[in-house]
Amino acid sequence: MAKEGAQRAEETEQMIEKEGGKEASEGSAAGSLRAADTKEMRAVVLSAFGGLNKLRVSKKAMPEPQDGELKIRVKACGLNFIDLMVRQGNIDNPPKTPLIPGFECSGIVEALRDSVKGFEIGDRVMAFVNYNAWAEVVCTPVEFVYKIPDDMSFSEAAAFPMNFVTAYMMLFEVANLREGMSVLVHSAGGGVGQAVAQLCSTVPNVTVFGTASSFKHEAIKDSVTHLFDRNADYVQEVKRISADGVDIVLDCLCGENTGKGLSLLKPLGTYILYGSSNMVTGETKSFFSFAKSWWQVEKVNPIKLYEENKVIAGFSLLNLLFKQNRGGLIKGVMDKLLNLYNSKKIKPVVDSLWALEEVKEAMQRIHDRGNIGKLILDVEKAPTPLMANDSTETSEAGEEEEDHEGDNENKERMPFIQ
């Protein structure tokens, strides 16, 4: 084991040297830090809340692991809709800027404190990070780090934690999904939507209703039982097929969809809100969109829930991890999910790979709801020449857009790497 660890350490140091890093003595800090050290790293920096032009790639001081932490040489980072809301400052208690966005990544363990057990230098891992994920190097507590299966790529690993843990927790921990039940999921073509569809397929006779932009239907039609256009009257479409409605509603939209979702619940059904993407319309934070979405939310009457035998719940994975200290619970869920992956029952869907320098274009694709599955920032990918003209360096006016969901099937799109 020691020989193997030493060999991995040597390979890691060679990789750092090749990338232009400088080696540091292993005996520094009284021997408590076991790896090489370099001065700076590339990172995506959000200089202030607002539009896409608040993002840039710049040099930052490389972090070093504190007690109980691992240092990871990042290979890939996940890009989620919550990152877009963070950029706009459209979240509760946003951190101070400048900051490095991102909450999940994959890579190679480069250093670790002596207190860290269960990992070795050179291990391939994926991790949750409380911000700072969009960089060449991250440090995060060991409880948020998980080993990658041998046949899982770094891009797949970066697409795995947020989407599949969110989907699993909502379906099995909150809503208690069982055989023969039915589920309605919005944004069925997104990363969480596709994870929900795959996990539902592991339970016999589960019916999945999904809404998605029309141009995605051909690509995802086999992943759900019934698929509706996101602009259609999906309440009537669902009731036409299932007069009693559904057992579980998974809502990442909020606004008027809250009332619609509650109206579709069967007795003993569960509605779960896990996002509020309807609040995002223009490039910057819009008070009008926020107020409109808030006003449209169904005002919940507990007496009515009691009379109709319905359950309403919320789910925030990031709060569960970083504010409510449930890392141990998530570790157990990750173990179950990795068993499903190793059994070939689930697999992350990667939409496209982007260089760090292409983060604005990647974020625009999420804003347009153009992705099927997960967008990944590939740290080692060079920007494509096609991205030389920064079409997303737009104004910060943040005008309202009627067709902000990207439903125009004829809309020209840049080529993406699958």
Side-chain angles (χ1 to χ4, degrees):
M1 179 67 73
K3 182 178 180 181
E4 184 180 3
Q7 183 178 357
R8 286 178 176 173
E10 183 179 354
E11 292 173 354
T12 304
E13 290 177 2
Q14 289 175 353
M15 178 187 69
I16 297 167
E17 185 176 3
K18 182 178 179 180
E19 294 175 359
K22 296 182 180 180
E23 296 185 356
S25 171
E26 286 189 43
S28 64
S32 62
L33 189 62
R34 311 196 300 270
D37 178 31
T38 55
K39 299 292 184 182
E40 290 185 327
M41 64 176 184
R42 289 162 56 240
V44 175
V45 176
L46 178 66
S47 59
F49 297 119
L52 293 166
N53 61 6
K54 301 300 183 182
L55 293 165
R56 68 180 188 277
V57 175
S58 62
K59 293 287 187 179
K60 297 290 288 184
M62 186 175 294
E64 294 299 338
Q66 304 301 308
D67 189 49
E69 291 187 342
L70 291 84
K71 180 179 179 181
I72 301 170
R73 174 66 61 168
V74 176
K75 295 292 187 178
C77 321
L79 204 159
N80 300 283
F81 201 89
I82 185 65
D83 298 311
L84 190 153
M85 299 185 73
V86 168
R87 192 203 77 215
Q88 294 186 348
N90 211 349
I91 58 173
D92 287 335
N93 300 314
K96 294 182 178 179
T97 55
L99 62 86
I100 300 173
F103 298 101
E104 62 184 337
C105 65
S106 64
I108 298 172
V109 175
E110 184 174 290
L112 60 162
R113 306 296 292 198
D114 283 338
S115 58
V116 172
K117 307 298 180 185
F119 292 91
E120 297 287 342
I121 293 171
D123 283 346
R124 300 169 70 247
V125 296
M126 52 186 161
F128 291 109
V129 188
N130 193 8
Y131 292 97
N132 300 308
W134 295 356
E136 290 182 314
V137 173
V138 303
C139 292
T140 194
V142 64
E143 65 177 320
F144 303 141
V145 182
Y146 318 93
K147 291 183 180 178
I148 300 175
D150 292 340
D151 61 343
M152 181 184 284
S153 68
F154 284 116
S155 59
E156 288 176 329
F160 194 85
M162 284 279 286
N163 290 350
F164 276 96
V165 172
T166 296
Y168 187 97
M169 291 292 296
M170 291 192 299
L171 289 172
F172 297 106
E173 298 291 335
V174 181
N176 193 22
L177 178 66
R178 301 183 303 280
E179 180 177 354
M181 295 179 75
S182 54
V183 179
L184 169 65
V185 58
H186 292 293
S187 300
V192 173
Q194 285 295 286
V196 166
Q198 291 185 31
L199 288 170
C200 285
S201 71
T202 67
V203 180
N205 302 318
V206 171
T207 302
V208 181
F209 298 88
T211 68
S213 300
S214 58
F215 70 87
K216 300 182 181 182
H217 286 200
E218 183 63 27
I220 67 173
K221 64 182 181 181
D222 294 333
S223 64
V224 299
T225 316
H226 304 286
L227 185 59
F228 312 121
D229 186 273
R230 58 166 301 278
N231 291 318
D233 185 355
Y234 64 84
V235 173
Q236 293 305 314
E237 292 292 332
V238 170
K239 287 188 173 181
R240 181 177 59 81
I241 298 168
S242 175
D244 292 337
V246 297
D247 296 292
I248 301 169
V249 174
L250 304 178
D251 181 12
C252 61
L253 304 177
C254 198
E256 63 181 353
N257 294 281
T258 300
K260 292 179 179 180
L262 286 170
S263 73
L264 279 173
L265 283 183
K266 295 179 181 179
L268 302 181
T270 303
Y271 164 94
I272 305 174
L273 179 70
Y274 71 101
S276 53
S277 64
N278 275 351
M279 293 184 182
V280 176
T281 52
E283 187 185 338
T284 57
K285 183 177 180 179
S286 167
F287 176 77
F288 174 78
S289 297
F290 177 85
K292 179 182 177 182
S293 185
W294 181 87
W295 181 257
Q296 290 176 331
V297 172
E298 181 81 6
K299 304 306 181 283
V300 177
N301 183 342
I303 300 299
K304 188 176 181 180
L305 293 177
Y306 153 73
E307 292 174 344
E308 297 182 353
N309 284 300
K310 293 181 179 180
V311 178
I312 185 168
F315 183 75
S316 167
L317 176 57
L318 295 178
N319 284 347
L320 197 66
L321 279 169
F322 301 124
K323 293 183 179 181
Q324 297 162 340
N325 302 315
R326 294 298 190 272
L329 172 62
I330 302 306
K331 174 67 167 61
V333 169
M334 281 292 291
D335 289 342
K336 295 174 183 177
L337 287 168
L338 289 173
N339 285 335
L340 289 172
Y341 176 86
N342 290 328
S343 300
K344 311 298 183 185
K345 294 182 179 179
I346 61 174
K347 184 179 177 64
V349 177
V350 175
D351 173 79
S352 48
L353 306 180
W354 304 78
L356 290 181
E357 291 78 7
E358 297 167 344
V359 65
K360 297 177 185 178
E361 289 83 359
M363 208 166 248
Q364 185 66 48
R365 183 164 171 82
I366 283 190
H367 180 277
D368 293 339
R369 280 70 165 180
N371 57 298
I372 298 174
K374 191 65 161 270
L375 278 78
I376 298 296
L377 295 179
D378 185 339
V379 176
E380 297 180 343
K381 181 180 182 293
T384 58
L386 194 60
M387 301 298 181
N389 295 325
D390 190 357
S391 61
T392 62
E393 196 77 46
T394 54
S395 73
E396 302 236 328
E399 295 88 351
E400 296 300 313
E401 304 166 278
E402 288 298 320
D403 188 27
H404 64 272
E405 300 285 333
D407 286 329
N408 186 353
E409 295 185 44
N410 296 321
K411 184 177 181 179
E412 291 185 4
R413 299 183 182 275
M414 297 178 180
F416 301 98
I417 298 175
Q418 291 286 343

